[in-house]
Amino acid sequence: MGGKSDSADGPDQTTERLTFMLAISAFVAAFGTSFQYGYSSSVVDQPANIIKEFYNQSYSSFYSAPLTESGITVLWATTVSVMCLGGLVGSFLIVPLTERFGRKGALLISNVFSLTGAIFFGFSKMANSYQMVIIGRIFVGIQHALSITVVPMYLTEVSPTSLRGGIAVMHQAMLTVGILLAQILGLEQILGSDTLWPVLLAFYAVPSGIQLVIMPFLPESPRYLLINKQDEEASRTALKRLRGTSEIDGAMQEMRLEHENEMKEPKITIIALLKSRSLRPQLIIAVGVMMANQLSGINAIFAYVTSIYENAGVPEDTSAYATIGTGAVNCVVCLGSVLIIDRVGRRPLLIWPLLVMTITFALLTITQALTENLFCDCCPNGRFGSAGGDVCPPVNLMDLEPYINPYQWISYLSIAFIIIFIFAFAIGLGSMPGVFGGELFRQGARPAAMALQSIAHWTCNFIIGLVFPILQEAMGAYVFLIFMVFCGVSGLYFFFRLPETKNKTFDEIQTLFGVDQEEEEEGVGNTAFTKEEEGEGGTGVNHTQLESAL
């Protein structure tokens, strides 16, 4: 290569394009792994009543006594939430698997857990064992912990700088595709029937099988090969395949520079990362975005959506299709964010949607509170009474068919606000956790950072699953106010603390969190690594030298 590739302008821009190998690597990684988590998030919703009946029959055959109503509730809550236990277990496997077997190897190993879970699901009805369903959920939970961390890690590391955001969002895009497909296949007319629900749950085997067949022939992360394995030849070979050209000197130089800086840092473990002052701002943002993703209220929206559709006049037997339509909005918008994130940038796509979500929650609280307060219990078929809410319409009005609900327009407003909220969530907060987890850290700290992201994800997931039903019962529509405040506070924090990372190399991103050299020398800086963390004899980062090298 000539001088251009090694210039201070960064990686060779001629290699910054989407090649077939890069596209197929990203797709197989995301479809084979991320898709499974999305699928698991919704797969038990549609056939819930059928599976509960199976639980009752299985329990009766084991213990010669039927389950009580509370017993079924406890077993079902265990089935839904036990996946979080598997997720927490899987979070502690991220660092050892990605360091020892590489990013590609960790993805392939993750399929062992999902296939094991699929076997338990597929044979649970045949064995008449509800315990097999619960055990299967633990195994897929372990796989999901790897999916929400290793996939963004792999996608971030194989992508050129100018495409990194869009490629990384493929993780969330495939997750939403999994949610949508689970909603569709879960219909009773397809796989959500009394006889086919084990097949529905065991569908994990399909994406796992596809990934196990294709992924071994795709390239490993060039950064992992160069920085972790110190195999420059293998790294060059992988990079050439991904970029579709032999003109890779600029990209190799950028990785070498990162490697040199990595050598100056101590080994970053989870404990070391938690103690590191210099990496704390990046860690707070990465973990904060993941927590905001889970605590934003998206689960509350999906919990309310069916009842809101029914209040708007959507027949109960078709409300499932309306819910699928909502999932389709989520999927399409998230796929669209793949195309714009590297043009618009991370900050606008995170902060402005959070503002929209905050306003939407305020409006949705009003419309849902009106709906609940205007509801009249004595009216037939759940219809509405007069504006006072305590007085039923005259008998002659109730006898009229069809009875016109004068407040139905409020539910239509609620539907509009829900669609706006999902649009904002999908294009912003829904897409960002994997992006920030992958690009805010250098190679050495990235596995530990994403392991902490995973722990935060599953902890918040468990808390929401445990607390939200109680809050919903106690507060009704006013539960949205809690999420409104959280979205507003999150938006303000990211507005003041989050720098723009679009089109920045990993080393350039570290300098965005730096302070003046004078402060760094005093040992209080937030640069990528300080003298205190390098140990005796180390030298801090010289920003001027680093920028000129990039």
Side-chain angles (χ1 to χ4, degrees):
M1 281 293 292
K4 180 180 179 181
S5 63
D6 296 323
S7 69
D9 296 332
D12 189 345
Q13 296 300 311
T14 63
T15 67
E16 306 267 298
R17 60 190 179 89
L18 182 65
T19 63
F20 174 78
M21 181 57 69
L22 177 58
I24 195 67
S25 297
F27 175 79
V28 172
F31 175 73
T33 312
S34 306
F35 171 92
Q36 295 185 47
Y37 178 41
Y39 186 84
S40 187
S41 299
S42 295
V43 70
V44 296
D45 293 344
Q46 300 276 24
N49 291 331
I50 294 175
I51 300 176
K52 287 178 184 178
E53 181 58 33
F54 164 73
Y55 274 26
N56 192 25
Q57 295 173 1
S58 174
Y59 184 92
S60 298
S61 66
F62 272 100
Y63 301 103
S64 302
L67 269 171
T68 63
E69 189 67 31
S70 61
I72 292 177
T73 301
V74 169
L75 273 182
W76 188 249
T78 301
T79 302
V80 173
S81 60
V82 76
M83 190 174 72
C84 296
L85 174 62
L88 285 173
V89 172
S91 298
F92 293 99
L93 298 178
I94 293 167
V95 175
L97 288 181
T98 54
E99 291 295 316
R100 177 168 182 146
F101 300 102
R103 286 39 168 162
K104 187 174 79 170
L107 290 177
L108 291 171
I109 291 171
S110 73
N111 289 294
V112 173
F113 300 105
S114 56
L115 287 174
T116 303
I119 292 171
F120 275 99
F121 293 142
F123 290 99
S124 59
K125 186 175 177 65
M126 185 184 302
N128 194 31
S129 172
Y130 70 88
Q131 297 94 333
M132 292 180 67
V133 178
I134 296 175
I135 294 172
R137 293 279 289 181
I138 296 175
F139 275 103
V140 297
I142 297 174
Q143 190 277 339
H144 298 339
L146 296 171
S147 76
I148 65 173
T149 51
V150 182
V151 174
M153 197 184 306
Y154 177 78
L155 297 180
T156 298
E157 293 178 9
V158 301
S159 306
T161 301
S162 62
L163 300 177
R164 189 173 61 230
I167 296 295
V169 171
M170 282 293 294
H171 159 67
Q172 184 68 25
M174 284 295 106
L175 192 150
T176 60
V177 171
I179 293 174
L180 180 60
L181 188 60
Q183 292 172 336
I184 295 172
L185 294 181
L187 293 172
E188 190 171 357
Q189 299 90 325
I190 304 180
L191 293 179
S193 64
D194 181 58
T195 56
L196 293 178
W197 66 262
V199 178
L200 174 70
L201 298 189
F203 188 78
Y204 298 99
V206 175
S208 285
I210 291 174
Q211 188 176 80
L212 285 172
V213 170
I214 301 177
M215 196 76 187
F217 301 100
L218 300 178
E220 174 60 276
S221 159
R223 290 182 182 275
Y224 170 78
L225 293 172
L226 179 65
I227 299 176
N228 295 78
K229 305 300 288 185
Q230 300 185 23
D231 189 341
E232 180 163 339
E233 187 58 36
S235 176
R236 292 185 68 90
T237 300
L239 194 59
K240 287 178 182 178
R241 294 181 66 195
L242 288 165
R243 302 295 173 89
T245 178
S246 58
E247 306 291 317
I248 58 169
D249 285 1
M252 289 297 298
Q253 177 64 19
E254 187 262 324
M255 287 194 294
R256 287 193 200 99
L257 179 61
E258 182 182 352
H259 183 35
E260 291 171 4
N261 289 330
E262 284 287 323
M263 296 299 290
K264 301 174 185 177
E265 292 185 288
K267 184 67 175 178
I268 301 294
T269 63
I270 292 178
I271 301 299
L273 183 57
L274 288 171
K275 292 180 177 180
S276 172
R277 289 186 305 149
S278 63
L279 294 176
R280 192 165 297 153
Q282 298 94 305
L283 183 62
I284 291 174
I285 289 175
V287 173
V289 171
M290 181 64 80
M291 292 178 65
N293 174 278
Q294 286 296 298
L295 302 177
S296 64
I298 187 65
N299 297 322
I301 290 293
F302 280 112
Y304 258 92
V305 68
T306 300
S307 63
I308 291 174
Y309 281 136
E310 290 175 358
N311 287 337
V314 179
E316 185 176 353
D317 57 346
T318 59
S319 61
Y321 297 99
T323 303
I324 290 174
T326 306
V329 172
N330 185 28
C331 179
V332 171
V333 174
C334 191
L335 287 170
S337 68
V338 173
L339 304 176
I340 65 173
I341 187 172
D342 285 312
R343 297 182 181 182
V344 177
R346 281 58 157 165
R347 272 179 58 88
L349 283 184
L350 181 63
I351 295 168
W352 289 111
L354 275 168
L355 175 62
V356 173
M357 290 161 65
T358 303
I359 296 172
T360 302
F361 269 136
L363 297 173
L364 193 57
T365 301
I366 295 172
T367 57
Q368 281 302 101
L370 285 173
T371 298
E372 293 178 359
N373 291 330
L374 291 172
F375 187 75
C376 178
D377 292 332
C378 61
C379 294
N381 302 321
R383 291 166 178 161
F384 291 79
S386 63
D390 297 324
V391 182
C392 286
V395 175
N396 62 331
L397 288 180
M398 294 202 310
D399 290 338
L400 294 177
E401 290 293 343
Y403 175 75
I404 298 175
N405 171 16
Y407 310 113
Q408 197 172 50
W409 61 273
I410 300 177
S411 291
Y412 290 137
L413 279 179
S414 295
I415 291 176
F417 294 146
I418 283 177
I419 292 174
I420 292 172
F421 175 89
I422 291 175
F423 187 100
F425 175 85
I427 203 169
L429 198 55
S431 307
M432 292 299 173
V435 176
F436 287 123
E439 72 179 11
L440 291 186
F441 301 90
R442 285 199 179 95
Q443 195 80 2
R446 193 172 296 129
M450 301 200 77
L452 289 172
Q453 264 198 321
S454 180
I455 292 171
H457 172 92
W458 293 110
T459 302
C460 292
N461 194 318
F462 177 76
I463 292 173
I464 287 293
L466 184 66
V467 174
F468 174 71
I470 300 172
L471 293 176
Q472 184 182 16
E473 182 69 24
M475 301 178 64
Y478 296 103
V479 72
F480 291 128
L481 292 176
I482 297 175
F483 301 116
M484 179 193 74
V485 172
F486 190 85
C487 288
V489 171
S490 299
L492 285 174
Y493 180 82
F494 295 134
F495 178 81
F496 289 107
R497 294 295 184 181
L498 177 66
E500 180 56 71
T501 57
K502 179 184 71 172
N503 293 333
K504 303 289 185 182
T505 66
F506 293 116
D507 275 337
E508 288 173 330
I509 290 172
Q510 297 307 308
T511 66
L512 295 176
F513 292 91
V515 295
D516 293 338
Q517 182 70 25
E518 182 179 330
E519 292 178 321
E520 181 185 345
E521 291 173 355
E522 295 174 359
V524 296
N526 282 329
T527 52
F529 36 91
T530 63
K531 291 181 180 180
E532 179 181 338
E533 290 175 320
E534 288 173 356
E536 297 180 3
T539 57
V541 175
N542 185 309
H543 290 182
T544 304
Q545 292 178 352
L546 180 58
E547 289 169 359
S548 64
L550 291 170

